[in-house]
Amino acid sequence: MKEVILCKYGEIILKGANKGSFETILLKELRRRTKAVGNFSVRVAQSTVYIEPESDDPFESDIDAMLEQAKKVFGFVAVTKAAVAEKNIDDICRVAADYLADSLRTKKTFKCEAKRADKKFPMKSPEISAEVGGAILEKLPHLRVSLDAPETVVRIEVRDRGAYIHADQTPGAGGIPYGCGGKGLLLLSGGIDSPVAGYMMAKRGLSVDALYFESIPYTSLRAREKVLTLAKKLTEYTGFMRVHIISLTKIQEMIRDNCEEDYFTLILRRFMMRLASMTAEHIGAPVLITGESLGQVASQTTAAICSTEAEADRPVFRPCIGLDKEEIIKISRSIDTFDTSIEPYEDCCTVFTPRHPRTRPELAKVIAAESELDHEALIREAFETRFTVTVRQFEDIPDTSDNLGGNYEL
């Protein structure tokens, strides 16, 4: 029995004359992923993408592995495996009963929904549903039809090249195609929030590079590897990610030696914003992305955020700003970053942490507190420590984007 994967559009349908450009990005991303899991053809028709195995051998065309890949492509609201039948009601009924028999044996109720995209088909949608439902009941008489609350919904789609039968389609990744919304630089720490922020902006089409600040010897190489692992997990959705790494050791030591303790974190974050702006300018990213959630910690109060954002020279996107910690954790679990994020390796924000950080800082006092520092020299020296690591989802399938280089690949 022939199987295909059906991927259903989300809001791309609403893009009007620009729909074609979104489709081009989607198809390119799907074809990149097919190279890793087998031989498949990819085509689009009637706001649905069809992924068809080109071999019956599962080692050459692993449809289950391809389904997992399709689930992580931004732009689809639903993905599912479907059996293909000839466009006649007898074959549709036969295929539906045979294909769904195993999954329906453990169910008690079901209903059928038909969609007749090919209006030349002689039966209307309610008639198709009734015929298929009857065939299923004949094969599995323990089932009952429930129109209001079925355990399983059997869907029959009569389209241009055949009829497609499936049940209980899986939610897709949603959003819009990755890379269609410009470029942003994510301040990626080893915590829970920033990977979620990167994922959320990638879901809205933003191509994401990451910036990680380290402070060796106060932070370890294991802390760096933790962040690269988080970036690797994000590539399940983005394909690849460039992680730019800058040392803050000298800056943090100078803050410790010359500034009032209560302002340590605020001053450090202001330096981070300056360095992030420079890095974003260097890579051509017009926006920054942070994982800040309002009121979560002392440096994320309204006054503190205003104090640090004053040093950014471009917009700062904060997709987690209105989420509470449990909501952020829920997303981090769903994208498989949570367990890595809670590994006990320090990051630079925990170095020289003040005992009583300011929660309502006045910008003038923050500027006065950091006035003893040679800002330009410290920023220039830190920026010169920058290097880049390119992290890829599939090592043997390079990205086609402009590569800024790197010392090694994960």
Side-chain angles (χ1 to χ4, degrees):
M1 188 178 300
K2 182 179 180 181
E3 278 188 304
V4 302
I5 297 172
L6 304 180
C7 305
K8 306 299 183 67
Y9 287 174
E11 62 188 271
I12 297 174
I13 295 173
L14 307 176
K15 298 303 180 183
N18 294 320
K19 180 181 173 184
S21 62
F22 288 88
E23 286 181 331
T24 298
I25 297 172
L26 262 183
L27 295 178
K28 181 179 179 181
E29 175 61 14
L30 280 172
R31 288 172 179 139
R32 181 189 71 82
R33 291 172 183 257
T34 63
K35 294 178 182 178
V37 296
N39 299 318
F40 294 87
S41 64
V42 180
R43 67 181 180 90
V44 61
Q46 298 172 312
S47 299
T48 299
V49 174
Y50 300 75
I51 306 174
E52 301 182 19
E54 294 188 336
S55 171
D56 294 331
D57 186 341
F59 291 101
E60 293 184 16
S61 300
D62 188 337
I63 195 168
D64 290 322
M66 190 62 231
L67 180 67
E68 291 304 310
Q69 290 300 317
K71 290 177 184 178
K72 295 180 179 180
V73 176
F74 293 125
F76 298 123
V77 294
V79 297
T80 186
K81 285 193 299 182
V84 184
E86 298 294 329
K87 287 200 295 185
N88 64 73
I89 193 61
D90 290 338
D91 198 52
I92 292 171
C93 289
R94 179 189 63 80
V95 170
D98 291 345
Y99 182 62
L100 300 174
D102 287 343
S103 63
L104 289 174
R105 278 196 178 94
T106 59
K107 309 294 184 182
K108 294 181 179 179
T109 60
F110 81 106
K111 76 172 181 177
C112 291
E113 291 183 352
K115 178 180 180 181
R116 189 175 59 121
D118 180 1
K119 301 304 180 185
K120 295 179 181 178
F121 193 76
M123 300 176 69
K124 295 183 179 180
S125 296
E127 296 170 327
I128 299 170
S129 296
E131 289 289 332
V132 173
I136 291 173
L137 287 171
E138 184 176 345
K139 190 176 185 72
L140 300 168
H142 74 281
L143 286 171
R144 295 291 181 268
V145 174
S146 171
L147 299 180
D148 296 325
E151 289 184 75
T152 295
V153 177
V154 174
R155 292 181 170 87
I156 309 100
E157 303 181 30
V158 182
R159 293 178 172 268
D160 55 347
R161 296 191 186 182
Y164 302 87
I165 298 102
H166 57 94
D168 297 331
Q169 59 190 8
T170 304
I176 56 179
Y178 180 72
C180 70
K183 189 173 186 177
L185 179 65
L186 168 68
L187 277 68
L188 180 63
S189 70
I192 297 170
D193 304 341
S194 57
V196 170
Y199 163 80
M200 292 174 71
M201 294 316 306
K203 186 175 181 178
R204 297 312 305 161
L206 201 65
S207 175
V208 178
D209 272 26
L211 174 60
Y212 169 62
F213 294 107
E214 63 183 10
S215 189
I216 294 174
Y218 306 106
T219 59
S220 66
L221 291 177
R222 282 193 150 188
R224 180 197 296 174
E225 289 299 328
K226 173 184 173 180
V227 168
L228 293 176
T229 299
L230 289 170
K232 180 78 168 180
K233 289 182 178 295
L234 291 176
T235 66
E236 291 291 318
Y237 298 89
T238 67
F240 76 101
M241 182 174 288
R242 286 183 289 257
V243 183
H244 310 277
I245 300 173
I246 291 178
S247 173
L248 289 181
T249 304
K250 179 66 173 295
I251 289 174
Q252 289 192 271
E253 290 175 339
M254 293 299 290
I255 293 173
R256 175 198 62 190
D257 295 341
N258 294 279
C259 300
E260 186 178 341
E261 181 184 352
D262 292 0
Y263 289 101
F264 280 2
T265 301
L266 281 171
I267 295 171
L268 176 64
R269 292 181 70 85
R270 283 164 60 82
F271 272 100
M272 287 179 174
M273 282 297 188
R274 295 165 189 154
L275 288 164
S277 295
M278 291 175 66
T279 305
E281 181 68 23
H282 180 75
I283 65 173
V287 299
L288 303 177
I289 309 162
T290 74
E292 290 162 306
S293 171
L294 187 63
Q296 187 178 123
V297 294
S299 62
Q300 294 177 21
T301 63
T302 299
I305 288 173
C306 290
S307 175
T308 56
E309 185 164 343
E311 293 303 312
D313 65 357
R314 60 202 63 221
V316 182
F317 289 172
R318 297 179 174 89
C320 298
I321 196 70
L323 302 182
D324 64 34
K325 198 64 178 182
E326 288 304 312
E327 291 171 314
I328 296 171
I329 288 173
K330 182 178 180 180
I331 297 172
S332 73
R333 290 186 187 279
S334 74
I335 62 174
D336 193 31
T337 57
F338 179 77
D339 289 340
T340 302
S341 292
I342 62 173
E343 290 177 357
Y345 302 123
E346 67 291 327
D347 63 42
C348 67
C349 290
T350 63
V351 177
F352 311 136
T353 303
R355 289 165 293 182
H356 305 289
R358 296 292 179 115
T359 59
R360 295 185 177 86
E362 296 178 25
L363 183 57
K365 292 183 179 179
V366 177
I367 294 172
E370 64 182 16
S371 62
E372 297 298 320
L373 303 176
D374 187 344
H375 299 87
E376 295 302 321
L378 287 171
I379 290 171
R380 184 169 57 251
E381 185 176 343
F383 193 70
E384 288 174 356
T385 69
R386 182 185 57 86
F387 66 98
T388 303
V389 179
T390 301
V391 183
R392 292 191 175 94
Q393 179 187 15
F394 305 121
E395 295 307 320
D396 56 345
I397 304 177
D399 65 82
T400 56
S401 299
D402 195 18
N403 195 330
L404 294 181
N407 298 69
Y408 59 90
E409 295 178 1
L410 185 64

